[in-house]
Each structure stands twice: as C-alpha cells, then as structure tokens.
Amino acid sequence: MRYAEFDGVLGKFQNNPLDIKNSDTLEYLREVFSFHLHNSPYWMGLNERLTPDLDEIFQGDLKEVFENLLNTGLMVHEEYLRTHWLEFVPGNYRGHVRFYQSSGTTRERAIGHWDGEYLHYLHTYLRAALDSIYGLNRIYTEEHQMRTLAHGPYGWYQDEISELVWSYGGVLYFIGMETDGIKKVLAERGIGEVLRLLDPLVKYTHRVMEADRINTVRSAPPLMTLFEPYWENIETAIISGVGIDYSFFKYLSEKFSETKLIPMYGYYGFGDLVGIMHAKSFWYYPNYPFTVVFPVRNDGGYDVVEYGERGQVGMLIARPELLIVKLEDETAVRTPPQRPFRWDGFGDPERRVVG
C-alpha cells in the first residue's frame, strides 16, 4: 500500500488540508489499520493475539473509535517502540523510507521512520495553516524574500523547515545542535549552562545575524535570547519546545514588539503541528487524517475528556509506512475545533522531564 492508493481522502487533502471531515479521517484510518494488521510484524503479531474486530472498533464517531482503540488494548508501549522500531515497518515496503531519531531533549532517543512522501503532505498542511492563520504568504512575496535562520536537531526537522522556507522562495541557514538531555540541563542548571554546551550554535548564530539581514527565525524558547539584539529585523519567529506559555509569549512580545510569534508542537513521529494562541492558552491542531490526538482519562476504561478538561495525551499516528497508537508521558487540555481547523485539538501540553 502506498499513498497513491488513498487518492480519495488524500485527493481532498491536496485540494484543502484544512477541510478534512471526521468521516474522511475514519475512512482513511480503517484502511490503514487493515493494511498494517496484515503486513507489519508488530501489528500482525497483535492481530494473532487479540484478533481485533475492525467492524466493532470503527463504530461511532472519531472520539468513540479512538476510545475503542485504547480499550481494545492496541496501545504501543514507549519502551517497546524505542527498542523494536523495525517491527513497525510493513514487510517489503517500497516507499522512500528514512529512519530518524527523536531529539532526546526530555528522554532517551527513539528511532522512527517516515516515507519521504509524507513530507509532501506535512508541508501542504503547514503551508495552509500558516497562511490561513498567520498570513505568511502575504508577508513573503517576490518583492520581499524570506531569509531564515533555524536551530534544531538534524533529521525530519531539517527537511521540514527546508521545504517550508523554499516554498516561500526563501533562503535558509540551518544550525544543527545536539539536544540530548538539554531540557534536564535547563531545568537544573539554567540557560547559562545550556548556552555553554551550545557554544558553536551561539557563535555561528551571531556570525549569521551580523552578516545577513535575517527576517525569520525558528528556534526553541530558551534560545530566543540570542535574537534579541536583532529584534528590529525579525518579522516572524516560529517557536516550539518546553517553555511555551502565556508569560513567555508576553515577555517575547515585549522584546520582539514588531514580530509575528508562531507556536508549534513538534514530535519525531509526525513533525510539527501548528498552534494558535487562544486567550492565555496555546492550542495545537493535528494534521488529520495522519495524526489524531485526544487527551484521555482512565477510570476502569479509557474515555476522551470533555472540552476544557486535562488528560493524558493519547496519540494515533497512521500512515502507509507507520501505525502507532500510544499514550504519552504528557498531559494536555482537550480543545474544540478552532478556525481554520474542523477538528479537535489539544492545549497547554505539559511533559515531565525524565532524568
């Protein structure tokens, strides 16, 4: 099975990735599950042990189906996924597969895989959301070039930010960094120690900012301090990672008074999700139909929490090359659809830093 075989739902996605209906997502998910249960080693083994009935699981709306998946016991445990990643690759899969590592900022690195074609769909979602919400297509034109500096780990992140910048006709400086365990260092020893560990990044960031007129930056909250001397030139700042909250954005809006601030939520299994500041909260919306996120509670069975309630983050990543159902070591608030998105999101995620 390849992406081209989902021409119905993914054809709609190509036309407008922000107009995917829950019924479209359910249709797509059913086909992805059927494929992996018969072709991926992990899911084939689970199919033999539990014999899940897709006719029963895919009853009701998307929320109910998500609950059915969890209550049928289809969750993948984090440590198993971390050490048995090859079991999640479909047998004899003929796409353009690349294996990536997670950044390792909060816990030991995991390895996951993407089909190169997924980057195309991820990019389509990002462009549509960023243009609709933040109007980047009106800022960066043939008369005004995007000139970007991005910090981050190598892997999917570098590919994703490259495609995004190039799509606006921009140029990109990418300064890679070693992020293994860095959130623990920040929490215990402060930003000074983080910057000391990232001395090459600090050095080359200043070198680029002094030489070129950078107007767009992508970085993590603690590193935004490096751009403060150049605030007058920076039109857009895309920020993801620990520390995104109202007080931090209030501080940034004072330091970068003319800058459009954009929150994102990144995860190695699916890339970036676009966020919206809503009152004093930050709401993130997955790229349906590939990624579904619901906060849940477990009171003798898993239930999706009500809007405005906080629960453990439940995640479904479903693509021809990869299928994962898992619970994250993280909590978030369930948020209702918010224009331009037609589906639920999650807000103010909080993750425990693992030592």
Side-chain angles (χ1 to χ4, degrees):
M1 176 173 283
R2 300 286 300 277
Y3 283 81
E5 296 179 45
F6 293 95
D7 57 339
V9 173
L10 297 190
K12 294 180 182 179
F13 184 97
Q14 295 279 50
N15 291 330
N16 185 353
L18 306 181
D19 194 35
I20 297 297
K21 300 177 178 63
N22 281 357
S23 58
D24 296 325
T25 297
L26 285 171
E27 175 188 336
Y28 169 84
L29 293 177
R30 172 68 187 260
E31 291 188 53
V32 171
F33 267 90
S34 180
F35 171 71
H36 282 279
L37 285 171
H38 295 92
N39 290 278
S40 300
Y42 174 84
W43 291 104
M44 291 168 67
L46 183 143
N47 196 23
E48 290 182 5
R49 295 193 310 274
L50 299 182
T51 59
D53 187 336
L54 294 185
D55 289 332
E56 289 187 5
I57 291 173
F58 280 84
Q59 289 287 329
D61 60 20
L62 184 58
K63 179 180 76 72
E64 292 170 316
V65 169
F66 193 87
E67 292 169 341
N68 291 341
L69 291 170
L70 298 182
N71 290 317
T72 307
L74 302 190
M75 293 94 72
V76 179
H77 294 292
E78 176 69 33
E79 287 308 311
Y80 191 91
L81 179 63
R82 195 179 301 277
T83 56
H84 297 82
W85 66 88
L86 286 174
E87 293 185 20
F88 295 85
V89 184
N92 206 30
Y93 187 78
R94 295 298 185 182
H96 297 158
V97 168
R98 179 183 293 177
F99 289 92
Y100 293 103
Q101 290 187 93
S102 64
S103 64
T105 54
T106 57
R107 56 193 177 192
E108 183 185 350
R109 285 181 171 172
I111 296 176
H113 62 281
W114 291 20
D115 187 321
E117 196 166 351
Y118 173 61
L119 270 170
H120 166 73
Y121 291 99
L122 176 60
H123 167 72
T124 301
Y125 153 84
L126 290 173
R127 270 299 305 258
L130 291 172
D131 291 348
S132 177
I133 301 166
Y134 298 103
L136 296 195
N137 57 327
R138 297 190 295 274
I139 299 173
Y140 304 106
T141 64
E142 291 185 3
E143 292 74 34
H144 182 61
Q145 187 180 43
M146 176 184 281
R147 304 190 72 81
T148 306
L149 188 153
H151 296 144
Y154 293 107
W156 64 262
Y157 175 86
Q158 185 180 19
D159 293 339
E160 179 197 294
I161 191 66
S162 298
E163 290 295 330
L164 186 63
V165 171
W166 294 336
S167 74
Y168 287 103
V171 296
L172 172 67
Y173 295 90
F174 184 83
I175 301 179
M177 62 183 186
E178 176 56 62
T179 58
D180 205 12
I182 205 166
K183 289 183 182 177
K184 187 171 187 289
V185 174
L186 176 64
E188 295 180 353
R189 298 157 68 184
I191 185 60
E193 181 63 14
V194 169
L195 294 178
R196 189 189 70 78
L197 293 173
L198 298 176
D199 181 66
L201 176 143
V202 175
K203 174 183 175 181
Y204 289 111
T205 295
H206 285 308
R207 182 178 178 184
V208 170
M209 297 302 292
E210 292 293 336
D212 204 342
R213 194 174 179 84
I214 298 298
N215 57 31
T216 308
V217 298
R218 170 72 198 264
S219 195
L223 301 181
M224 286 301 295
T225 184
L226 299 178
F227 300 110
E228 290 181 13
Y230 315 99
W231 68 270
E232 291 181 293
N233 295 335
I234 298 175
E235 299 163 342
T236 304
I238 301 174
I239 309 157
S240 64
V242 69
I244 294 183
D245 57 23
Y246 176 73
S247 61
F248 173 71
F249 258 56
K250 188 170 184 287
Y251 166 83
L252 279 189
S253 65
E254 293 169 355
K255 292 291 183 179
F256 298 86
S257 58
E258 303 300 319
T259 302
K260 190 181 295 290
L261 303 173
I262 302 175
M264 283 201 187
Y265 178 96
Y267 185 77
Y268 79 101
F270 52 70
D272 275 317
L273 307 182
V274 177
I276 302 171
M277 187 172 178
H278 187 275
K280 294 184 178 182
S281 296
F282 292 88
W283 295 1
Y284 301 92
Y285 288 86
N287 56 339
Y288 276 30
F290 305 106
T291 311
V292 176
V293 177
F294 281 114
V296 301
R297 61 171 170 261
N298 185 4
D299 296 323
Y302 289 99
D303 295 294
V304 173
V305 301
E306 299 298 324
Y307 290 129
E309 292 184 352
R310 180 171 289 274
Q312 186 176 5
V313 171
M315 207 176 269
L316 169 56
I317 303 169
R319 306 198 296 269
E321 79 277 17
L322 176 66
L323 176 63
I324 298 173
V325 183
K326 70 194 299 281
L327 296 172
E328 281 293 293
D329 185 20
E330 185 170 29
T331 65
V333 174
R334 183 185 174 199
T335 63
Q338 175 83 2
R339 294 185 64 183
F341 301 102
R342 300 173 59 115
W343 49 85
D344 282 6
F346 60 101
D348 298 333
E350 296 178 358
R351 173 174 290 180
R352 180 170 59 89
V353 176
V354 178

